[in-house]
Amino acid sequence: MADEKETAEAPKKSNKMMMIVIALVLVVLGGGGAGAFFMLRGDSAEAAEEKPKKGIVTVAESTITVNLADGHYLKLGFAIQQTEESGDHAIDLSEAYQLVIDEYTGRTIAELSTAEGRAKIKEELLTELIKTYTVEDVKEVMDIYYTSFVTQ
């Protein structure tokens, strides 16, 4: 009788264990499937706003020198990445030179000596460039590249 009792309890334990294993597998697969769905679906905001395609690059023919704080200066050369929508003509860089001068004049060497500081100032400049070079809702500028960046 003791043997019958042990054999009768063994299937109950195995059924409980099997149910637990199946439940865990379903939870893992369900979570993985949901995660894959959200990753593959993408962000609807990104899909709504398409990034502009790269067009020509207009290079500033000369470097400019900007006065920084405390008697220092910055010698800067740059190029503008235009969008494909802007066409095949090079944009006039007169306003870009002015925006660069306005953005960097009076900055400190400390602001320009770190990658984070340069990136922050570049982002501010790029925002102004895009705003300035948007004509009839067509963004003509998408990025700025520094060809030289020397402080003293």
Side-chain angles (χ1 to χ4, degrees):
M1 284 227 183
D3 289 333
E4 289 178 19
K5 206 178 205 184
E6 286 179 20
T7 56
E9 288 178 15
K12 288 182 183 176
K13 286 183 181 177
S14 113
N15 284 342
K16 285 181 183 178
M17 184 60 98
M18 182 64 85
M19 293 299 259
I20 291 172
V21 168
I22 290 173
L24 286 173
V25 167
L26 289 175
V27 168
V28 168
L29 289 177
F37 170 76
F38 286 113
M39 288 181 66
L40 293 176
R41 169 177 78 94
D43 189 13
S44 59
E46 287 179 16
E49 183 182 327
E50 294 181 21
K51 290 189 176 184
K53 293 181 181 175
K54 291 182 178 182
I56 64 171
V57 175
T58 303
V59 179
E61 292 184 14
S62 60
T63 60
I64 58 175
T65 304
V66 180
N67 290 324
L68 300 175
D70 301 327
H72 297 283
Y73 68 90
L74 168 68
K75 187 173 183 180
L76 178 73
F78 64 94
I80 301 289
Q81 174 71 63
Q82 293 180 228
T83 62
E84 186 178 63
E85 295 175 328
S86 69
D88 291 336
H89 69 283
I91 58 174
D92 179 16
L93 294 179
S94 300
E95 288 179 282
Y97 279 114
Q98 185 62 49
L99 290 171
V100 168
I101 291 169
D102 291 345
E103 191 65 43
Y104 283 96
T105 298
R107 298 284 183 159
T108 64
I109 291 287
E111 288 177 285
L112 302 175
S113 63
T114 64
E116 295 84 18
R118 286 188 303 273
K120 180 182 175 225
I121 296 168
K122 180 180 176 182
E123 189 62 36
E124 292 170 2
L125 175 61
L126 182 59
T127 300
E128 288 299 315
L129 285 167
I130 291 172
K131 187 170 77 173
T132 300
Y133 286 99
T134 299
V135 180
E136 296 176 9
D137 294 329
V138 174
K139 293 181 181 177
E140 294 184 339
V141 172
M142 64 183 295
D143 206 353
I144 182 170
Y145 307 121
Y146 294 128
T147 56
S148 65
F149 196 94
V150 180
T151 57
Q152 186 176 13

